Amino acid sequence: MIAELVSSALGLALYLNTLSADFCYDDSRAIKTNQDLLPETPWTHIFYNDFWGTLLTHSGSHKSYRPLCTLSFRLNHAIGGLNPWSYHLVNVLLHATVTGLFTSFSKILLGDGYWTFMAGLMFASHPIHTEAVAGIVGRADVGASLFFLLSLLCYIKHCSTRGYSARTWGWFLGTGLCAGCSMLWKEQGVTVLAVSAVYDVFVFHRLKMKQILPTIYKRKNLSLFLSISLLTFWGTSLLGARLYWMGNKPPSFSNSDNPAADSDSFLARTLTFFYLPTKNLWLLLCPDTLSFDWSMDAVPLLKTFCDWRNLHTVAFYIGLLFLAYYGLKSPSVERECNGKFVTNGKQNANGHGCHSDVEYRNSEIKPSFASKVENGIKNTASQRTQLPSTENIVVLSLSLLIIPFVPATNLFFYVGFVIAERVLYIPSMGFCLLITVGARALYVKVQKRFLKSLIFYATATLIVFYGLKTAIRNGDWRNEEMLYRSGIKVNPAKAWGNLGNVLKSQSKISEAESAYRNALYYRSNMADMLYNLGLLLQENSRFAEALHYYKLAIGSRPTLASAYLNTGIILMNQGKTEEARRTFLKCSEIPDENLKDPHAHKSSVTSCLYNLGKLYHEQGHYEDALSVYKEAIQKMPRQFAPQSLYNMMGEAYMRLSKLPEAEHWYMESLRSKTDHIPAHLTYGKLLALTGRKSEAEKFFLKAIELDPTKGNCYMHYGQFLLEEARLVEAAEMAKKAAERDSMEFDVVFNAAHMLRQASLNEAAEKYYDLAAKLRPNYPAALMNLGAILHLNGRLQKAEANYLRALQLKPDDVITQSNLRKLWNIMEKQGLKTSKT
């Protein structure tokens, strides 16, 4: 128990500094934007959607079905909202629990000595676990490991009680249930059933390769055959149900996710896929270089036999085969153990496997069962449980290392990553056992005390180095900027691109732009980076450059709806209404099939339709606008905020004089967002129009209360006051509106108009002049400035503005009439006019 507690404590202590970390990398999509975590979403949706909140049967789904992990996120969200502290706490506690269970499992294999302690400490401190523990989405791997170990421990109890206790099938039921739960945390959890079978055959029954079939077919080993058959049946059932639930289709991934899978060269695919396990093992052995992402070109393809990395591949598989042979061979020569000769791995004295005196002294455990069942025969004479031999543990360690990793090898289906460190969380159990049992075997074999001490302290030093690396790596996971900077040398394209997003959020615009350009330097066709750079340029009014990058993004990924959306908005603001209309229409027709994030796509499509409706609205095509708004409502995803769309529906009905329909949609807008200011203003106008003046004024005042800094609120209230002939109050509201939004043309222009209607011509002139400066080529602004100058007696300035307005709009009747009147006055006063 001490070993378990100390190992768990180390696992807890190493990750305490991650409790103050932010959400990082994949956390945003799995947690912050995942609708399945929200209380208004029925909790049953979790069992129909994938890990990211997409319907599991959707063609763009990642097919990562992890409902128990998502359910744990939802509980986190219900308790602490989006405070990352509580999410990190659960991850750290889970890791500490898994470490304790792994140490208990190691004790069954290695005994109650310090080698079990070593195995537990190595697992607790291994740096490869950092992504799984410090990254919140890594909870899927840690949770799966928890039930993986519980299932394996239940099966060990089943083996030890099989044949003489009815409770043995209770333990088997626990094995099956925990295996199912492990799979519902993450897919690879189901592999525990195969590892359990390996334990039963090669550890509990101590069979060698040549003995398996003859032993299973013996009648006395019917219970072994039954257990293995049930494990196979349950595993097949779980996998079949899993495949059926996800629509009987594998997921599809982009080229950048797994470049080898997309390669046209069979040789490149084969060599790369054979090499990747070698790279993963190296990360376990020497986790010096770690990264948040290993996609794209992080691991270059092996295209020829001349690539020197093939030597690593050959060495890896030779070593693997050697270890497998060592564990599975049937020795035919006699060897001495404790002074007795042993043939075929069994002592002549009693048929048991052997350990040296030193090994027993350091490894022996107290009996956990009343009797021993070996090779199908109960040995009631045995008074204590014998530990597995080194060969047995090597076989089990290899199975723990290899079998849970098999789903990530691209052997049965292509996966959506090149390397994923968190996938190694379960296989690292096998690695830690393998290193520990190897060190123990060397320790037992050597005779000199100095060499024994060297082996022991070398193993302890390795654990210390692992712990130090974990502590350092945890620092990288404290915030996104540090995390992405640490990944630049491994995956520069992805790291620079994500770093650009972080720098942009910090308002470091020039640094963000530089980061985006660095990302595109390494990989020029990344649609997301092209789009992000375009968005940055658009937000800084560099519209021509933004359009260029949006077009490149669309060229790289024709289904990128958000690029169409922003292209259309820029074109609409530039007055290129026909181009904008075509862009919005094209966006609205893009299907969401095979898209990684269909929810985000649907939001962009809905926004495109909303802006297309606004375009029709501004052109006076209100019926067309309504038709588009209705289509937007039909395509709108759950997470889309509909208040602006509903409000514009009301506006269109208002223009068509369909007041009951308009009121309905204004109310819908306010229901969806009770503090939506535009709906307060438009609904206030409708109430005023229908004679409900006191109610209308309440809505105008509520809008001002919601945001006292917004000039538009004062402007609308001022217009209401002007219509009520409350001229002094209207003028005051007009001044407040113009003061607060002095750079907004519509606010300033309307404020000037209200001041003029209130006969405050001097103040009106000030704001008409400001409006003309904001839009120097807008005929109405110049004409109204001319008119107020005309009224205020500044005749020559008035003439100049009238003439400029007519240059821009020569056929404007009102301006022509005002200019003629002005010339008559100027001629009467003897002033020179432009016509003379």
Side-chain angles (χ1 to χ4, degrees):
M1 183 59 71
I2 294 176
E4 288 93 328
L5 291 174
V6 173
S7 299
S8 296
L10 178 62
L12 187 68
L14 281 172
Y15 289 95
L16 282 177
N17 64 334
T18 66
L19 296 180
S20 59
D22 297 329
F23 289 114
C24 289
Y25 195 41
D26 287 336
D27 297 344
S28 179
R29 188 177 165 207
I31 297 169
K32 294 170 75 173
T33 62
N34 192 343
Q35 298 296 300
D36 288 342
L37 271 59
L38 302 179
E40 57 267 25
T41 303
W43 66 271
T44 52
H45 283 203
I46 290 172
F47 294 94
Y48 295 92
N49 295 337
D50 67 16
F51 190 52
W52 314 100
T54 303
L55 188 65
L56 198 64
T57 53
H58 188 276
S59 57
S61 170
H62 202 277
K63 308 296 184 185
S64 45
Y65 186 59
R66 303 162 192 172
L68 293 186
C69 185
T70 307
L71 189 60
S72 75
F73 289 154
R74 180 160 178 149
L75 291 173
N76 261 130
H77 191 280
I79 295 169
L82 289 176
N83 183 355
W85 184 87
S86 65
Y87 294 85
H88 284 296
L89 178 63
V90 173
N91 275 31
V92 173
L93 292 176
L94 279 173
H95 176 61
T97 306
V98 170
T99 301
L101 284 173
F102 174 74
T103 309
S104 294
F105 172 65
S106 301
K107 185 184 292 185
I108 295 171
L109 302 174
L110 301 172
D112 200 13
Y114 47 72
W115 292 110
T116 293
F117 192 47
M118 287 287 193
L121 293 179
M122 187 176 295
F123 182 83
S125 62
H126 203 294
I128 206 68
H129 300 156
T130 309
E131 182 180 5
V133 184
I136 296 172
V137 295
R139 185 183 300 178
D141 296 87
V142 185
S145 300
L146 174 67
F147 284 95
F148 187 102
L149 285 169
L150 288 173
S151 178
L152 191 53
L153 290 170
C154 283
Y155 193 78
I156 291 171
K157 292 291 287 183
H158 163 71
C159 291
S160 66
T161 57
R162 183 172 49 202
Y164 68 90
S165 173
R167 291 192 304 173
T168 188
W169 296 110
W171 289 114
F172 188 90
L173 180 62
T175 298
L177 290 175
C178 288
C181 289
S182 185
M183 189 186 76
L184 293 177
W185 273 90
K186 193 169 183 181
E187 299 79 8
Q188 67 186 132
V190 72
T191 58
V192 67
L193 298 174
V195 175
S196 298
V198 170
Y199 171 84
D200 201 350
V201 173
F202 296 106
V203 178
F204 186 78
H205 283 86
R206 293 179 169 85
L207 299 180
K208 298 301 179 182
M209 206 65 191
K210 293 181 179 179
Q211 300 171 313
I212 295 176
L213 290 178
T215 302
I216 289 178
Y217 285 126
K218 287 180 181 178
R219 195 171 179 182
K220 62 185 178 182
N221 287 309
L222 182 62
S223 60
L224 169 62
F225 179 76
L226 180 60
S227 295
I228 300 299
S229 299
L230 288 173
L231 287 175
T232 304
F233 170 77
W234 183 234
T236 305
S237 299
L238 288 176
L239 289 173
R242 172 76 171 75
L243 185 63
Y244 170 78
W245 204 245
M246 71 181 195
N248 296 313
K249 291 180 181 179
S252 59
F253 302 105
S254 68
N255 171 38
S256 62
D257 292 331
N258 190 349
D262 197 60
S263 174
D264 294 328
S265 169
F266 174 78
L267 180 63
R269 288 200 306 274
T270 303
L271 293 178
T272 303
F273 287 153
F274 271 109
Y275 170 73
L276 288 177
T278 309
K279 182 68 176 177
N280 280 275
L281 179 65
W282 182 251
L283 288 177
L284 285 169
L285 186 62
C286 183
D288 177 55
T289 301
L290 299 174
S291 176
F292 70 97
D293 190 286
W294 289 83
S295 62
M296 299 182 181
D297 301 317
V299 180
L301 300 183
L302 284 77
K303 298 180 180 179
T304 67
F305 288 110
C306 297
D307 193 313
W308 61 272
R309 289 175 294 171
N310 287 314
L311 296 175
H312 296 173
T313 304
V314 172
F316 167 73
Y317 287 104
I318 289 175
L320 198 63
L321 290 172
F322 172 77
L323 286 172
Y325 174 75
Y326 172 79
L328 296 172
K329 68 179 180 179
S330 299
S332 57
V333 296
E334 293 186 343
R335 55 192 176 92
E336 190 174 336
C337 180
N338 297 339
K340 298 177 182 178
F341 284 101
V342 180
T343 305
N344 295 332
K346 297 182 180 180
Q347 286 185 23
N348 292 338
N350 57 19
H352 288 177
C354 71
H355 297 267
S356 71
D357 288 336
V358 178
E359 191 170 1
Y360 270 120
R361 191 161 54 248
N362 293 322
S363 307
E364 210 163 46
I365 63 170
K366 295 178 181 179
S368 55
F369 324 123
S371 62
K372 174 71 179 173
V373 180
E374 185 171 4
N375 296 339
I377 303 173
K378 188 192 297 185
N379 184 359
T380 54
S382 177
Q383 295 301 310
R384 59 186 173 188
T385 303
Q386 188 175 329
L387 295 175
S389 68
T390 297
E391 291 90 339
N392 300 144
I393 301 174
V394 166
V395 173
L396 184 61
S397 300
L398 285 175
S399 73
L400 259 176
L401 177 65
I402 296 170
I403 295 174
F405 184 72
V406 166
T409 60
N410 297 277
L411 182 63
F412 299 110
F413 49 83
Y414 292 140
V415 296
F417 54 85
V418 179
I419 291 175
E421 292 168 16
R422 55 179 176 255
V423 168
L424 295 173
Y425 191 88
I426 295 178
S428 69
M429 297 179 192
F431 172 81
C432 292
L433 274 175
L434 203 58
I435 294 295
T436 305
V437 75
R440 188 189 72 170
L442 287 173
Y443 184 93
V444 169
K445 188 171 184 179
V446 300
Q447 301 299 318
K448 294 182 179 180
R449 184 175 295 276
F450 165 75
L451 291 177
K452 289 182 181 290
S453 298
L454 182 63
I455 293 167
F456 178 81
Y457 288 115
T459 309
T461 302
L462 180 64
I463 293 171
V464 171
F465 278 134
Y466 279 171
L468 290 174
K469 176 62 179 178
T470 296
I472 294 169
R473 182 60 177 159
N474 282 341
D476 293 335
W477 280 87
R478 286 180 64 84
N479 59 67
E480 287 191 302
E481 182 174 354
M482 294 176 68
L483 180 64
Y484 298 144
R485 288 192 186 278
S486 71
I488 288 174
K489 64 179 179 180
V490 174
N491 191 347
K494 194 70 168 283
W496 277 116
N498 287 344
L499 183 59
N501 294 335
V502 174
L503 293 170
K504 180 187 170 187
S505 69
Q506 297 172 352
S507 300
K508 298 177 181 178
I509 304 303
S510 60
E511 292 179 55
E513 182 179 348
S514 177
Y516 287 140
R517 294 189 186 278
N518 284 340
L520 292 170
Y521 170 79
Y522 287 100
R523 197 176 179 92
S524 60
N525 64 341
M526 287 193 297
D528 289 330
M529 292 309 109
L530 291 165
Y531 169 77
N532 288 337
L533 179 55
L535 187 61
L536 180 76
L537 295 168
Q538 180 183 359
E539 291 171 354
N540 287 274
S541 303
R542 295 159 63 180
F543 301 116
E545 293 175 84
L547 280 175
H548 170 70
Y549 283 103
Y550 286 146
K551 288 177 181 177
L552 289 176
I554 291 169
S556 179
R557 191 191 302 164
T559 58
L560 187 57
S562 52
Y564 289 94
L565 169 64
N566 285 297
T567 298
I569 290 171
I570 292 176
L571 292 171
M572 188 167 66
N573 291 336
Q574 290 178 340
K576 301 175 182 178
T577 55
E578 184 56 30
E579 288 183 63
R581 185 188 68 82
R582 288 199 300 268
T583 302
F584 289 140
L585 280 173
K586 190 170 184 179
C587 175
S588 68
E589 295 167 357
I590 301 173
D592 64 353
E593 295 175 6
N594 298 315
L595 296 182
K596 187 181 291 187
D597 192 350
H599 296 306
H601 172 80
K602 288 179 181 177
S603 292
S604 295
V605 168
T606 304
S607 294
C608 270
L609 290 167
Y610 167 75
N611 280 281
L612 178 60
K614 282 181 66 178
L615 181 63
Y616 285 141
H617 188 101
E618 290 172 5
Q619 293 175 336
H621 303 151
Y622 303 119
E623 292 288 357
D624 291 336
L626 278 173
S627 176
V628 171
Y629 290 146
K630 288 174 182 177
E631 183 182 352
I633 290 172
Q634 289 177 348
K635 293 184 175 181
M636 180 174 64
R638 280 185 299 146
Q639 77 273 15
F640 188 83
Q643 61 272 7
S644 296
L645 178 57
Y646 293 160
N647 187 55
M648 288 304 298
M649 285 278 287
E651 283 280 86
Y653 278 119
M654 270 281 283
R655 296 301 177 94
L656 293 169
S657 299
K658 297 180 179 180
L659 301 187
E661 291 89 345
E663 183 167 4
H664 166 76
W665 287 107
Y666 288 147
M667 292 300 296
E668 285 296 315
S669 178
L670 290 170
R671 283 193 195 99
S672 62
K673 192 171 189 294
T674 55
D675 59 349
H676 187 52
I677 293 173
H680 280 82
L681 299 174
T682 51
Y683 189 43
K685 286 162 64 176
L686 183 143
L687 290 170
L689 185 65
T690 54
R692 290 171 279 178
K693 307 289 185 178
S694 59
E695 289 182 68
E697 187 164 7
K698 288 178 183 177
F699 275 90
F700 289 127
L701 290 171
K702 180 64 177 178
I704 292 172
E705 179 188 333
L706 288 170
D707 191 352
T709 65
K710 209 172 188 68
N712 194 43
C713 299
Y714 295 95
M715 184 190 73
H716 279 84
Y717 184 40
Q719 288 176 334
F720 168 77
L721 293 170
L722 191 65
E723 291 167 4
E724 294 299 297
R726 294 157 65 177
L727 301 182
V728 177
E729 294 174 82
E732 186 63 28
M733 290 300 113
K735 288 179 182 178
K736 287 183 178 181
E739 286 169 1
R740 283 161 175 76
D741 284 341
S742 60
M743 300 305 293
E744 290 290 331
F745 172 81
D746 289 334
V747 173
V748 172
F749 186 73
N750 284 313
H753 197 61
M754 282 191 289
L755 289 166
R756 179 181 172 184
Q757 287 182 292
S759 300
L760 297 173
N761 292 346
E762 290 297 328
E765 180 183 332
K766 172 185 173 183
Y767 291 112
Y768 275 131
D769 183 59
L770 179 57
K773 288 176 180 175
L774 290 172
R775 286 195 188 175
N777 295 320
Y778 187 52
L782 295 166
M783 187 274 285
N784 279 280
L785 177 57
I788 199 67
L789 289 167
H790 187 165
L791 290 173
N792 289 342
R794 297 175 177 82
L795 304 183
Q796 290 179 325
K797 287 184 179 181
E799 181 189 29
N801 281 282
Y802 282 146
L803 290 171
R804 176 66 180 147
L806 286 171
Q807 284 178 352
L808 296 169
K809 192 176 180 183
D811 57 348
D812 187 76
V813 177
I814 297 175
T815 307
Q816 291 172 351
S817 174
N818 285 348
L819 182 59
R820 285 195 295 270
K821 293 175 183 177
L822 177 67
W823 280 340
N824 289 334
I825 294 172
M826 291 176 71
E827 286 172 354
K828 289 179 182 178
Q829 293 182 5
L831 297 175
K832 186 177 179 180
T833 65
S834 60
K835 70 175 183 177
T836 58

PDB file of all heavy atoms in Angstrom, residues 779 783 801-803 805-806 809 812-820:
ATOM      1  N   PRO A 779     -23.220  62.405 -51.837  1.00  0.00           N
ATOM      2  CA  PRO A 779     -23.971  63.599 -52.269  1.00  0.00           C
ATOM      3  C   PRO A 779     -24.932  64.143 -51.215  1.00  0.00           C
ATOM      4  O   PRO A 779     -25.033  65.368 -51.037  1.00  0.00           O
ATOM      5  CB  PRO A 779     -24.733  63.105 -53.506  1.00  0.00           C
ATOM      6  CG  PRO A 779     -23.960  61.926 -53.986  1.00  0.00           C
ATOM      7  CD  PRO A 779     -23.375  61.283 -52.771  1.00  0.00           C
ATOM      8  N   MET A 783     -25.075  67.966 -49.855  1.00  0.00           N
ATOM      9  CA  MET A 783     -26.272  68.765 -50.091  1.00  0.00           C
ATOM     10  C   MET A 783     -26.836  69.317 -48.792  1.00  0.00           C
ATOM     11  O   MET A 783     -27.191  70.496 -48.699  1.00  0.00           O
ATOM     12  CB  MET A 783     -27.315  67.902 -50.808  1.00  0.00           C
ATOM     13  CG  MET A 783     -28.558  68.692 -51.272  1.00  0.00           C
ATOM     14  SD  MET A 783     -29.841  68.856 -50.000  1.00  0.00           S
ATOM     15  CE  MET A 783     -30.532  67.221 -50.024  1.00  0.00           C
ATOM     16  N   ASN A 801     -20.581  73.587 -51.662  1.00  0.00           N
ATOM     17  CA  ASN A 801     -21.060  72.245 -51.317  1.00  0.00           C
ATOM     18  C   ASN A 801     -22.172  71.770 -52.247  1.00  0.00           C
ATOM     19  O   ASN A 801     -22.226  70.595 -52.601  1.00  0.00           O
ATOM     20  CB  ASN A 801     -21.531  72.218 -49.862  1.00  0.00           C
ATOM     21  CG  ASN A 801     -20.367  72.119 -48.878  1.00  0.00           C
ATOM     22  OD1 ASN A 801     -19.799  71.059 -48.673  1.00  0.00           O
ATOM     23  ND2 ASN A 801     -20.001  73.259 -48.296  1.00  0.00           N
ATOM     24  N   TYR A 802     -23.068  72.719 -52.674  1.00  0.00           N
ATOM     25  CA  TYR A 802     -24.095  72.354 -53.648  1.00  0.00           C
ATOM     26  C   TYR A 802     -23.456  71.889 -54.963  1.00  0.00           C
ATOM     27  O   TYR A 802     -23.858  70.876 -55.545  1.00  0.00           O
ATOM     28  CB  TYR A 802     -25.004  73.554 -53.932  1.00  0.00           C
ATOM     29  CG  TYR A 802     -26.040  73.842 -52.863  1.00  0.00           C
ATOM     30  CD1 TYR A 802     -26.439  75.166 -52.579  1.00  0.00           C
ATOM     31  CD2 TYR A 802     -26.679  72.805 -52.177  1.00  0.00           C
ATOM     32  CE1 TYR A 802     -27.400  75.452 -51.624  1.00  0.00           C
ATOM     33  CE2 TYR A 802     -27.644  73.084 -51.217  1.00  0.00           C
ATOM     34  CZ  TYR A 802     -27.991  74.393 -50.940  1.00  0.00           C
ATOM     35  OH  TYR A 802     -28.951  74.670 -49.996  1.00  0.00           O
ATOM     36  N   LEU A 803     -22.463  72.626 -55.403  1.00  0.00           N
ATOM     37  CA  LEU A 803     -21.810  72.292 -56.671  1.00  0.00           C
ATOM     38  C   LEU A 803     -21.090  70.944 -56.587  1.00  0.00           C
ATOM     39  O   LEU A 803     -21.114  70.149 -57.533  1.00  0.00           O
ATOM     40  CB  LEU A 803     -20.817  73.397 -57.054  1.00  0.00           C
ATOM     41  CG  LEU A 803     -21.451  74.738 -57.467  1.00  0.00           C
ATOM     42  CD1 LEU A 803     -20.383  75.816 -57.601  1.00  0.00           C
ATOM     43  CD2 LEU A 803     -22.215  74.582 -58.785  1.00  0.00           C
ATOM     44  N   ALA A 805     -21.924  68.466 -54.651  1.00  0.00           N
ATOM     45  CA  ALA A 805     -22.967  67.439 -54.608  1.00  0.00           C
ATOM     46  C   ALA A 805     -23.489  67.143 -56.011  1.00  0.00           C
ATOM     47  O   ALA A 805     -23.724  65.984 -56.373  1.00  0.00           O
ATOM     48  CB  ALA A 805     -24.104  67.866 -53.700  1.00  0.00           C
ATOM     49  N   LEU A 806     -23.618  68.210 -56.837  1.00  0.00           N
ATOM     50  CA  LEU A 806     -24.119  68.018 -58.197  1.00  0.00           C
ATOM     51  C   LEU A 806     -23.091  67.344 -59.101  1.00  0.00           C
ATOM     52  O   LEU A 806     -23.452  66.657 -60.059  1.00  0.00           O
ATOM     53  CB  LEU A 806     -24.542  69.369 -58.794  1.00  0.00           C
ATOM     54  CG  LEU A 806     -25.851  69.919 -58.233  1.00  0.00           C
ATOM     55  CD1 LEU A 806     -26.087  71.341 -58.705  1.00  0.00           C
ATOM     56  CD2 LEU A 806     -27.037  69.024 -58.643  1.00  0.00           C
ATOM     57  N   LYS A 809     -23.800  63.859 -58.188  1.00  0.00           N
ATOM     58  CA  LYS A 809     -25.144  63.417 -58.579  1.00  0.00           C
ATOM     59  C   LYS A 809     -25.812  64.548 -59.363  1.00  0.00           C
ATOM     60  O   LYS A 809     -26.616  65.325 -58.817  1.00  0.00           O
ATOM     61  CB  LYS A 809     -25.949  63.066 -57.323  1.00  0.00           C
ATOM     62  CG  LYS A 809     -27.249  62.311 -57.625  1.00  0.00           C
ATOM     63  CD  LYS A 809     -27.952  61.905 -56.326  1.00  0.00           C
ATOM     64  CE  LYS A 809     -29.240  61.145 -56.623  1.00  0.00           C
ATOM     65  NZ  LYS A 809     -29.968  60.797 -55.387  1.00  0.00           N
ATOM     66  N   ASP A 812     -29.823  65.506 -59.352  1.00  0.00           N
ATOM     67  CA  ASP A 812     -30.563  65.636 -58.100  1.00  0.00           C
ATOM     68  C   ASP A 812     -31.396  66.918 -58.133  1.00  0.00           C
ATOM     69  O   ASP A 812     -30.851  68.040 -58.144  1.00  0.00           O
ATOM     70  CB  ASP A 812     -29.595  65.665 -56.921  1.00  0.00           C
ATOM     71  CG  ASP A 812     -30.342  65.616 -55.595  1.00  0.00           C
ATOM     72  OD1 ASP A 812     -30.816  64.530 -55.235  1.00  0.00           O
ATOM     73  OD2 ASP A 812     -30.447  66.662 -54.936  1.00  0.00           O
ATOM     74  N   VAL A 813     -32.720  66.786 -58.133  1.00  0.00           N
ATOM     75  CA  VAL A 813     -33.646  67.911 -58.316  1.00  0.00           C
ATOM     76  C   VAL A 813     -33.591  68.861 -57.133  1.00  0.00           C
ATOM     77  O   VAL A 813     -33.594  70.091 -57.305  1.00  0.00           O
ATOM     78  CB  VAL A 813     -35.084  67.388 -58.520  1.00  0.00           C
ATOM     79  CG1 VAL A 813     -36.062  68.551 -58.637  1.00  0.00           C
ATOM     80  CG2 VAL A 813     -35.149  66.496 -59.759  1.00  0.00           C
ATOM     81  N   ILE A 814     -33.550  68.324 -55.911  1.00  0.00           N
ATOM     82  CA  ILE A 814     -33.568  69.174 -54.715  1.00  0.00           C
ATOM     83  C   ILE A 814     -32.323  70.047 -54.657  1.00  0.00           C
ATOM     84  O   ILE A 814     -32.400  71.257 -54.366  1.00  0.00           O
ATOM     85  CB  ILE A 814     -33.677  68.309 -53.448  1.00  0.00           C
ATOM     86  CG1 ILE A 814     -35.001  67.541 -53.443  1.00  0.00           C
ATOM     87  CG2 ILE A 814     -33.554  69.160 -52.193  1.00  0.00           C
ATOM     88  CD1 ILE A 814     -35.147  66.552 -52.287  1.00  0.00           C
ATOM     89  N   THR A 815     -31.172  69.479 -54.956  1.00  0.00           N
ATOM     90  CA  THR A 815     -29.935  70.255 -54.923  1.00  0.00           C
ATOM     91  C   THR A 815     -29.962  71.342 -55.984  1.00  0.00           C
ATOM     92  O   THR A 815     -29.540  72.493 -55.731  1.00  0.00           O
ATOM     93  CB  THR A 815     -28.713  69.326 -55.149  1.00  0.00           C
ATOM     94  OG1 THR A 815     -28.763  68.243 -54.223  1.00  0.00           O
ATOM     95  CG2 THR A 815     -27.409  70.086 -54.948  1.00  0.00           C
ATOM     96  N   GLN A 816     -30.475  71.006 -57.182  1.00  0.00           N
ATOM     97  CA  GLN A 816     -30.572  72.001 -58.254  1.00  0.00           C
ATOM     98  C   GLN A 816     -31.479  73.155 -57.840  1.00  0.00           C
ATOM     99  O   GLN A 816     -31.154  74.343 -58.045  1.00  0.00           O
ATOM    100  CB  GLN A 816     -31.112  71.344 -59.525  1.00  0.00           C
ATOM    101  CG  GLN A 816     -30.144  70.365 -60.179  1.00  0.00           C
ATOM    102  CD  GLN A 816     -30.788  69.601 -61.320  1.00  0.00           C
ATOM    103  OE1 GLN A 816     -32.019  69.680 -61.529  1.00  0.00           O
ATOM    104  NE2 GLN A 816     -29.966  68.845 -62.068  1.00  0.00           N
ATOM    105  N   SER A 817     -32.611  72.834 -57.200  1.00  0.00           N
ATOM    106  CA  SER A 817     -33.548  73.870 -56.756  1.00  0.00           C
ATOM    107  C   SER A 817     -32.917  74.748 -55.677  1.00  0.00           C
ATOM    108  O   SER A 817     -33.034  75.989 -55.725  1.00  0.00           O
ATOM    109  CB  SER A 817     -34.817  73.204 -56.221  1.00  0.00           C
ATOM    110  OG  SER A 817     -35.684  74.155 -55.662  1.00  0.00           O
ATOM    111  N   ASN A 818     -32.255  74.123 -54.701  1.00  0.00           N
ATOM    112  CA  ASN A 818     -31.615  74.900 -53.637  1.00  0.00           C
ATOM    113  C   ASN A 818     -30.528  75.806 -54.185  1.00  0.00           C
ATOM    114  O   ASN A 818     -30.347  76.949 -53.716  1.00  0.00           O
ATOM    115  CB  ASN A 818     -31.006  73.952 -52.590  1.00  0.00           C
ATOM    116  CG  ASN A 818     -32.053  73.317 -51.705  1.00  0.00           C
ATOM    117  OD1 ASN A 818     -33.218  73.723 -51.708  1.00  0.00           O
ATOM    118  ND2 ASN A 818     -31.657  72.279 -50.960  1.00  0.00           N
ATOM    119  N   LEU A 819     -29.793  75.319 -55.206  1.00  0.00           N
ATOM    120  CA  LEU A 819     -28.718  76.135 -55.777  1.00  0.00           C
ATOM    121  C   LEU A 819     -29.288  77.349 -56.493  1.00  0.00           C
ATOM    122  O   LEU A 819     -28.734  78.464 -56.384  1.00  0.00           O
ATOM    123  CB  LEU A 819     -27.890  75.274 -56.740  1.00  0.00           C
ATOM    124  CG  LEU A 819     -26.686  75.963 -57.383  1.00  0.00           C
ATOM    125  CD1 LEU A 819     -25.709  76.478 -56.321  1.00  0.00           C
ATOM    126  CD2 LEU A 819     -25.965  75.013 -58.338  1.00  0.00           C
ATOM    127  N   ARG A 820     -30.391  77.187 -57.212  1.00  0.00           N
ATOM    128  CA  ARG A 820     -31.015  78.326 -57.899  1.00  0.00           C
ATOM    129  C   ARG A 820     -31.476  79.378 -56.890  1.00  0.00           C
ATOM    130  O   ARG A 820     -31.289  80.584 -57.086  1.00  0.00           O
ATOM    131  CB  ARG A 820     -32.190  77.849 -58.756  1.00  0.00           C
ATOM    132  CG  ARG A 820     -31.758  77.148 -60.042  1.00  0.00           C
ATOM    133  CD  ARG A 820     -32.933  77.021 -61.012  1.00  0.00           C
ATOM    134  NE  ARG A 820     -33.975  76.158 -60.483  1.00  0.00           N
ATOM    135  CZ  ARG A 820     -34.026  74.842 -60.693  1.00  0.00           C
ATOM    136  NH1 ARG A 820     -33.072  74.237 -61.408  1.00  0.00           N
ATOM    137  NH2 ARG A 820     -35.015  74.136 -60.191  1.00  0.00           N
TER     138      ARG A 820
END
